[in-house]
Amino acid sequence: MAENKGILVYGELTNGQLATITTELLGCGRKLADNLNEELSCLLASDMIGEASKEAIAFGADKVYTIEEPSLKQYQASSYIQIVEKLVKDISPRAILFGQTAIGRDLAPHLAFRLGVSLATDCLGLSIDPDTKLLLQTRSVYGGNAQATFVSKLVPHIATVRPKAMPPLEHDDSRKGEVIPTKIEIDMSQVKAKVVETVKEEISGIKLEDAPAIVTGGRGIGGAEPFNTTLKELADALHGAVGATRPPADNGWVPEAIHIGLTGKIVAPDIYIAVALSGASQHIAGCSGAKHIVAINKDPEANIFKEAEFGVVGKYEEVVPALTKKLKEILAS
Amino acid sequence: MSGINMIVCCKQVPDPEAPPSLFKVDTAANKMVTASDVKPVISQYDEFALEAALRIKDKMGGKITVLSLGNKLVRDVIKKSLAVGGDELILLEDEAFEESDSWSTAYALAAAIKKIGEYDLIFCGRQSSDWDAGQVGIGIAEILGIPAVTLARKVEVADGKTNIERVIPDGYEILEIAPPVVITVTSELGTLRYPALKGIMAAGKKQPIVYKPADIGLEPGQVGAAGRHTEISKLFQPVKEAKCEIIEGETPEEAGVNLATRLREAKLL
Ligand SMILES: Cc1cc2nc3c(=O)[nH]c(=O)nc-3n(C[C@H](O)[C@H](O)[C@H](O)COP(=O)(O)OP(=O)(O)OC[C@H]3O[C@@H](n4cnc5c(N)ncnc54)[C@H](O)[C@@H]3O)c2cc1C
Ligand SMILES: Nc1ncnc2c1ncn2[C@@H]1O[C@H](COP(=O)(O)O)[C@@H](O)[C@H]1O
């Protein structure tokens, strides 16, 4: 086999656009590739790719492999893995980067085990060891209570990267790159699962990942109602969105899509108001990128006060409505 | 399909919800050290996985074999899987299994599953509560050459098919798949039932089966630390400068008002 060279980013699309996480991966991949003096490639596989391949170049890719296939409309591990495996065998990259997304979390382990190499999931930092040229992969472990840097001698190195952990490059239309339309046959006999139905749960209002302010409720909220009233009113006053810890989602008080943390969404708003949640490390993993954390909790010993910049000790039922009212006054004046 | 054979992979971990201050790093040895008051438990998502299997057994019958890999596993902790309704407990327990990574864990678990021989559904947690990797379930599937369905929030068996509700970013999809399949389970499935007294008594009498590497056809060099594909070059705890300003008030309402004022002063609004 040829010597492994270059960085390959597994690109994703959201609503036909290059996904934000992919721009972040390209930013990181560009640095790694420059450091090695090698190429940065991006794989885009979807039913419709459109302008996204040009966008990938504007965000730093030297080469974009596009695979456009009607059967790629909906993600399925067993069809998508065939594409990634084939391309990786054809171009022999040194490292492959996925997003720690619904797709990346699923696809990357399949690829790593199929190739018999290793994978570091949910990485916060990636760099090249100057002596060995191996990829140093730093990720959080023990629910965020520590971090570890992993290294493997096996190539290709595979990593998934946490959203919002790395900045994208400036979008630059003058960057040059090559789009390479690629055909890869998918063997449908390998696709064992049949999708019977897809159920979408609509979330109205501003998207959590883009919200400048987030009001997050925990188990202490006690039920579904206050998420739509007390917390929603505070979020509205700040032009923000409502989030939740895992228990409210597990209990069905809120949709799973607003669950924040290690196993939920990763957010980084300007202001994060944590209400009636204890501040478990697995939750903090999802919001530690917030510029300012404010905590409201009735227990002065709650761990969230170790994470927050400002806090009020008290029952949220009493504190939050007063806070919202005063905020509205301030913001109106 | 009657007599469904189910395997559930359960890992023993230090309680992930213990206060963060009880988790320390031994930087010289690159190892995690947990204070003695951090109790060992079955990894959270593995309990959800066990619950998924138990619900199928409730409806359809079948056999649940629980597999756990490690060393010096605490019997009272891991036997909870029998007390709630697991039928058999197999431990891959040996010094040689210590310090496994995702690769050597999946490799040994897959070898044990091959030895068990008969399996329809293999359940894993979506990720373990200590290293948070989220790899082993898919790894087992790849090694056995069978499909994997991740992030299951509901699993049912009917007419020889498995119906799985799988969480996707804005909802869920319903998949139909024929066994054998590896299923990784997420928290929405629901928490593990409490063991009944009868179950606890019965579990007390059962002894787990213990396999050493050779029992599953592996050399010591293929398992644990020796079988790893990754090395840890550094383990550390980022320092946090904690300084929360507590906003007071005569009443909780007043504290709320004062918080609003303070946030404006601090130019957060
Ligand atoms: C591998 C793994 C992954 C995980 N991933 C996530 C994740 O992604 N996201 C996540 O959130 N969790 C996650 N968890 C779970 C996590 O460990 C905690 O169990 C969870 O975050 C606790 O949620 P909570 O703070 O809402 O509830 P609790 O810990 O029960 O805290 C409730 C808080 O509310 C306060 N309270 C109660 N009533 C009131 C009131 N009236 N007014 C004010 N305060 C009140 C209490 O003092 C308490 O501090 C994960 C766990 C594991 C093991
Ligand atoms: N040592 C182990 N013993 C039994 N099952 C394990 C072990 N390690 C991992 N697993 C299973 O694999 C899942 C994913 O683990 P991980 O890839 O480590 O996050 C866990 O939720 C368990 O179901």
Side-chain angles (χ1 to χ4, degrees), chain A residues 33-260:
Chain A
D34 288 346
N35 191 299
L36 291 158
N37 219 346
E38 293 176 6
E39 269 179 353
L40 173 64
S41 314
C42 180
L43 161 62
L44 289 173
S46 179
D47 59 330
M48 270 229 303
I49 294 170
E51 295 296 297
S53 44
K54 287 208 194 91
E55 289 291 288
I57 293 170
F59 278 106
D62 298 311
K63 281 185 180 153
V64 182
Y65 296 90
T66 55
I67 296 145
E68 224 165 8
E69 273 278 346
S71 64
L72 295 173
K73 190 167 166 63
Q74 196 165 16
Y75 170 77
Q76 277 240 47
S78 49
S79 54
Y80 274 57
I81 184 64
Q82 296 182 35
I83 289 178
V84 185
E85 186 186 5
K86 176 75 169 56
L87 186 76
V88 165
K89 286 192 169 147
D90 287 348
I91 70 170
S92 302
R94 181 192 293 275
I96 307 155
L97 313 183
F98 292 83
Q100 174 77 353
T101 57
I103 293 179
R105 284 183 152 125
D106 202 51
L107 207 44
H110 277 288
L111 183 66
F113 277 88
R114 201 163 279 199
L115 300 177
V117 294
S118 82
L119 161 68
T121 51
D122 206 10
C123 290
L124 301 168
L126 295 174
S127 62
I128 301 290
D129 184 299
D131 301 326
T132 60
K133 302 274 181 253
L134 298 176
L135 185 66
L136 302 174
Q137 306 157 310
T138 300
R139 57 186 299 269
S140 94
V141 297
Y142 281 79
N145 285 318
Q147 290 185 11
T149 303
F150 288 86
V151 57
S152 175
K153 294 200 177 72
L154 301 168
V155 283
H157 309 303
I158 307 179
T160 69
V161 174
R162 183 177 290 187
K164 299 187 195 280
M166 296 173 194
L169 299 175
E170 284 292 333
H171 181 275
D172 179 355
D173 276 326
S174 69
R175 263 191 253 272
K176 293 272 174 300
E178 188 187 354
V179 177
I180 308 169
T182 308
K183 270 229 80 66
I184 292 176
E185 291 299 329
I186 299 172
D187 173 3
M188 290 309 283
S189 74
Q190 303 261 327
V191 180
K192 302 278 198 266
K194 195 173 104 197
V195 182
V196 183
E197 200 184 334
T198 304
V199 183
K200 303 253 176 191
E201 291 167 340
E202 293 295 330
I203 314 271
S204 60
I206 178 164
K207 264 184 80 186
L208 211 49
E209 295 95 315
D210 306 330
I214 295 176
V215 178
T216 295
R219 182 173 4 227
I221 296 297
E225 239 289 286
F227 281 92
N228 299 318
T229 54
T230 319
L231 300 187
K232 176 90 171 37
E233 280 156 30
L234 177 54
D236 284 348
L238 296 164
H239 304 290
V242 173
T245 59
R246 198 184 71 187
D250 287 350
N251 292 340
W253 301 345
V254 300
E256 166 63 21
I258 70 164
H259 154 207
I260 293 169

Side-chain angles (χ1 to χ4, degrees), chain B residues 9-12 43 45-46 49 67-70 102 105 109 123-128 130-137 140:
Chain B
C9 297
C10 290
K11 184 181 194 181
Q12 179 186 307
S43 188
Y45 291 89
D46 307 2
L67 257 185
S68 189
L69 175 148
S102 302
T105 302
L109 290 172
F123 290 96
C124 284
R126 68 176 287 178
Q127 74 188 52
S128 56
D130 51 0
W131 291 92
D132 293 314
Q135 297 194 35
V136 166
I140 292 172

Side-chain angles (χ1 to χ4, degrees), chain A residues 218-219 245-246 259-263 276 278 282 297 316-317, chain B residues 17:
Chain A
R219 182 173 4 227
T245 59
R246 198 184 71 187
H259 154 207
I260 293 169
L262 195 60
T263 50
S278 61
Q282 294 88 355
N297 194 301
Y316 85 88
E317 295 90 333
Chain B
E17 300 203 4

